[in-house]
Amino acid sequence: MNHKLSKSTFVRGLQCEKSLYLYKKHYNLKDPASPTLQAVFDQGNEIGELAQSLFPGGVDATPSSHFRMMESVVKTKEFLKNKESIIYEATFVFNEVLVALDILVKDKGGWKAYEVKSSTSVSETYIKDAAIQYYTIINSGIDLIDIYIVYINNQYVLEGDLDVNQLFTIESVKDRVLDYLPRIPNEVSRLKNVIKLDSAPNIDIGPHCNKPYDCDFKGTCWKHIPEYSVFDISNLNKKKKFNLYNQGVLTLDQIDLSQIKLSDKQVLQLESEAEGRSYVNKVKIGGFLSNLSYPLYYLDFETINPGLPKYQGLRPYQNIIFQYSLHVNQSEGSELSHKEHLADPKKDPRLELIKQLISDCGDSGDILVYNISFERSRLHELIEQFPKHKAPLQCIIERLKDLMIPFQNKWYYTPEMRGSYSIKSVLPALIPELSYNDLNINDGGTASSTFQSMINGSFKGDELLTRKDLLEYCKLDTYAMVKIIEKLKKIKLF
């Protein structure tokens, strides 16, 4: 029996008919998955497999490959015929819709369906997802008495061995599924008709491109948007951006300020672009620089946040620092020194990192970071986990200062920043000769997913070389801050 829709393509079609059409007819246009997104998929698979231990002893209907889903349908029928009571990846087809359920269980009450999610709550999209499963399964002759979503309990704290019964929350969604169920036949018919079309539906870009999921055909649908457009206006809400776009306004120079209310910072961005000049508030920058105390430290953390807590005292998705870079100027004009730490993926990195960080940061002088809320939060978490080290860690927290402030407040702004005050935008704008582009690892998401794969044992590559790449990336983050401070000091002189 053939199928035209699956659970995932049904949900895709509900988000955008054009995305569904492109997926079915022009799959080759799909944007490649980033390492960060691939890590999310891998984590979802890991969590899905772990959830099977909530119902041990089942039989597995998983196909030999993702492209042979009908194998699972055949296996599921065989398992049902043999009166199996727990089936993993039970797969059904009805009305040309194919769904694979994570766990199907028969107990004294009857059949129950369990769908596993790696998130920490039940979203409206998950209800629609569960509804298409329920529709397909009950019409395949399985009299479901309930359907559940199994998701992560983010209040669970790992103490001893991982307790799956505490890790997962199991919530019945049958009532909400039944509310949505009457809409399913019409939606299925509508989406099957979309697939039959001779060409892609004429659907323009809009907020649906990112809701509920980031669409993986943006490379196709957004290719008419200039590299620098109204979508890059700093802190402008999405609705206003699309209002401008729908009026035919694509670039900043097309904006009529009498027709839209913008903040002073947004107006500054527009004027900077129009005039091709930088804005520098020497008084504010001078005040920021004069408030810095030597020795001056430049600190950056890299973290992972695994869905399954890896170490004692951690919750799901809690951040773990696995690496830091620290540049140090003992006094103004002194020779720059560098310290760094990269954890061993085979053991809990926290205590060793804490001890070295405390030693490396000394006991006086300001510690510059970029986006202080992140580093501050990570240090507070370490205090919570290792209260014995509270005093020196609290001392580090009190010495933190945020280098992002001059750029966030647009005390220094150039057209090259394109509305962004992230260090990845500020660095090439101020110091063009320095770039992340030449690095093998050049963003935090890739650094995080790479180290996470080392912990999981799924890393494929040269670990020694990759560790060097991780160190080079983190080192550039703090060296960038050093060079930015040097640049700001030169401005102050004039």
Side-chain angles (χ1 to χ4, degrees):
M1 186 184 295
N2 220 331
H3 71 278
K4 288 190 169 64
L5 290 171
S6 66
K7 180 187 67 172
S8 61
T9 54
F10 175 80
V11 171
R12 180 185 286 270
L14 293 182
Q15 179 171 339
C16 177
E17 291 182 1
K18 185 178 181 182
S19 177
L20 170 64
Y21 183 90
L22 292 173
Y23 184 86
K24 298 293 282 188
K25 299 291 185 74
H26 299 283
Y27 187 84
N28 60 303
L29 296 177
K30 192 160 80 81
D31 304 333
S34 67
T36 306
L37 185 59
Q38 189 57 51
V40 171
F41 294 151
D42 294 344
Q43 182 165 257
N45 292 335
E46 183 185 11
I47 288 169
E49 287 177 18
L50 181 64
Q52 293 176 356
S53 60
L54 291 165
F55 304 94
V59 290
D60 193 349
T62 301
S64 57
S65 91
H66 180 68
F67 301 102
R68 296 181 175 178
M69 292 302 295
M70 296 312 293
E71 287 181 4
S72 291
V73 177
V74 174
K75 283 184 183 181
T76 301
K77 286 179 179 174
E78 285 295 313
F79 292 150
L80 291 169
K81 186 178 173 184
N82 295 337
K83 300 196 182 311
E84 297 287 355
S85 58
I86 301 173
I87 305 173
Y88 309 134
E89 298 300 322
T91 308
F92 301 89
V93 176
F94 172 75
N95 190 18
E96 299 178 303
V97 178
L98 179 144
V99 301
L101 178 74
D102 288 320
I103 309 167
L104 181 66
V105 177
K106 189 175 189 181
D107 60 19
K108 291 176 184 177
W111 286 106
K112 296 174 180 176
Y114 297 86
E115 182 65 13
V116 182
K117 300 296 182 185
S118 55
S119 67
T120 58
S121 62
V122 176
S123 70
E124 194 57 39
T125 302
Y126 293 166
I127 300 302
K128 295 172 183 176
D129 178 290
I132 190 67
Q133 289 185 308
Y134 187 88
Y135 163 83
T136 308
I137 293 169
I138 61 170
N139 282 296
S140 297
I142 304 296
D143 187 18
L144 286 179
I145 64 166
D146 214 335
I147 183 164
Y148 301 86
I149 290 179
V150 181
Y151 59 95
I152 298 289
N153 168 20
N154 62 358
Q155 298 308 303
Y156 169 69
V157 177
L158 181 64
E159 292 171 349
D161 294 333
L162 189 69
D163 183 344
V164 292
N165 292 296
Q166 295 293 317
L167 173 69
F168 290 108
T169 298
I170 302 175
E171 183 178 324
S172 170
V173 293
K174 184 179 179 183
D175 289 347
R176 293 168 70 184
V177 162
L178 291 177
D179 285 343
Y180 190 78
L181 199 64
R183 297 173 58 180
I184 293 283
N186 285 340
E187 296 288 24
V188 167
S189 177
R190 174 173 69 87
L191 297 179
K192 285 200 288 188
N193 285 333
V194 168
I195 296 167
K196 291 177 187 173
L197 294 172
D198 294 329
S199 59
N202 185 22
I203 297 173
D204 204 353
I205 64 171
H208 61 272
C209 295
N210 300 92
K211 190 177 179 181
Y213 303 115
D214 283 337
C215 181
D216 43 18
F217 285 97
K218 287 181 75 174
T220 297
C221 297
W222 284 65
K223 62 186 177 186
H224 64 295
I225 303 298
E227 190 180 345
Y228 187 31
S229 73
V230 293
F231 293 100
D232 298 303
I233 298 175
S234 182
N235 294 321
L236 185 65
N237 72 51
K238 193 170 284 186
K239 186 178 178 182
K240 283 188 175 181
K241 289 177 180 179
F242 278 108
N243 282 344
L244 286 168
Y245 169 76
N246 291 328
Q247 293 163 27
V249 178
L250 284 181
T251 54
L252 274 62
D253 61 314
Q254 295 173 317
I255 293 173
D256 181 352
L257 288 174
S258 68
Q259 299 296 312
I260 183 171
K261 185 170 176 56
L262 297 178
S263 71
D264 290 345
K265 291 176 187 176
Q266 290 161 350
V267 171
L268 186 150
Q269 181 184 347
L270 264 62
E271 290 176 346
S272 173
E273 175 66 13
E275 298 164 9
R277 68 184 182 92
S278 302
Y279 283 78
V280 181
N281 188 325
K282 294 181 182 179
V283 174
K284 292 284 190 182
I285 290 171
F288 177 83
L289 293 172
S290 63
N291 200 30
L292 298 179
S293 301
Y294 285 85
L296 200 53
Y297 298 80
Y298 304 81
L299 175 65
D300 181 66
F301 291 153
E302 299 300 333
T303 62
I304 53 171
N305 59 338
L308 302 178
K310 299 289 180 186
Y311 311 114
Q312 297 301 301
L314 288 177
R315 296 186 301 277
Y317 296 112
Q318 191 163 1
N319 279 287
I320 307 161
I321 307 166
F322 68 86
Q323 177 181 10
Y324 70 77
S325 171
L326 189 75
H327 275 92
V328 188
N329 268 136
Q330 289 297 330
S331 59
E332 188 155 10
S334 69
E335 190 174 340
L336 191 67
S337 63
H338 181 248
K339 302 171 190 290
E340 61 191 0
H341 178 82
L342 177 58
D344 179 348
K346 296 176 181 63
K347 61 183 183 181
D348 186 338
R350 293 171 295 167
L351 200 53
E352 188 178 330
L353 183 141
I354 286 170
K355 289 176 180 176
Q356 186 176 331
L357 181 68
I358 291 168
S359 171
D360 286 347
C361 285
D363 53 16
S364 65
D366 286 340
I367 302 171
L368 277 170
V369 292
Y370 207 93
N371 188 9
I372 196 169
S373 62
F374 182 76
E375 273 79 10
R376 186 190 281 148
S377 297
R378 303 295 77 79
L379 291 165
H380 277 304
E381 287 163 358
L382 288 177
I383 289 172
E384 185 184 314
Q385 295 155 23
F386 299 92
K388 181 169 85 166
H389 297 281
K390 178 177 180 177
L393 288 174
Q394 188 63 44
C395 177
I396 291 174
I397 291 170
E398 289 166 3
R399 292 161 57 202
L400 294 179
K401 288 194 175 162
D402 195 351
L403 182 52
M404 189 169 76
I405 286 173
F407 306 100
Q408 186 178 28
N409 291 327
K410 291 194 166 46
W411 298 342
Y412 191 117
Y413 182 76
T414 74
E416 291 79 14
M417 292 177 194
R418 297 190 164 182
S420 172
Y421 47 81
S422 78
I423 197 163
K424 300 292 189 299
S425 299
V426 170
L427 180 64
L430 268 66
I431 302 102
E433 62 272 19
L434 276 184
S435 172
Y436 287 85
N437 296 335
D438 299 331
L439 301 178
N440 292 324
I441 293 173
N442 56 23
D443 68 88
T446 302
S448 177
S449 58
T450 300
F451 192 78
Q452 180 76 58
S453 68
M454 290 180 179
I455 290 177
N456 294 341
S458 60
F459 176 75
K460 294 177 178 65
D462 188 321
E463 192 163 317
L464 198 60
L465 278 176
T466 304
R467 286 179 68 84
K468 287 181 181 176
D469 291 337
L470 286 166
L471 289 168
E472 283 302 307
Y473 166 68
C474 197
K475 183 179 182 179
L476 183 55
D477 269 346
T478 53
Y479 186 64
M481 288 194 277
V482 172
K483 302 309 284 184
I484 288 167
I485 284 288
E486 286 179 4
K487 180 79 172 180
L488 293 181
K489 284 180 175 175
K490 286 177 183 174
I491 291 163
K492 190 192 167 190
L493 295 175
F494 292 101

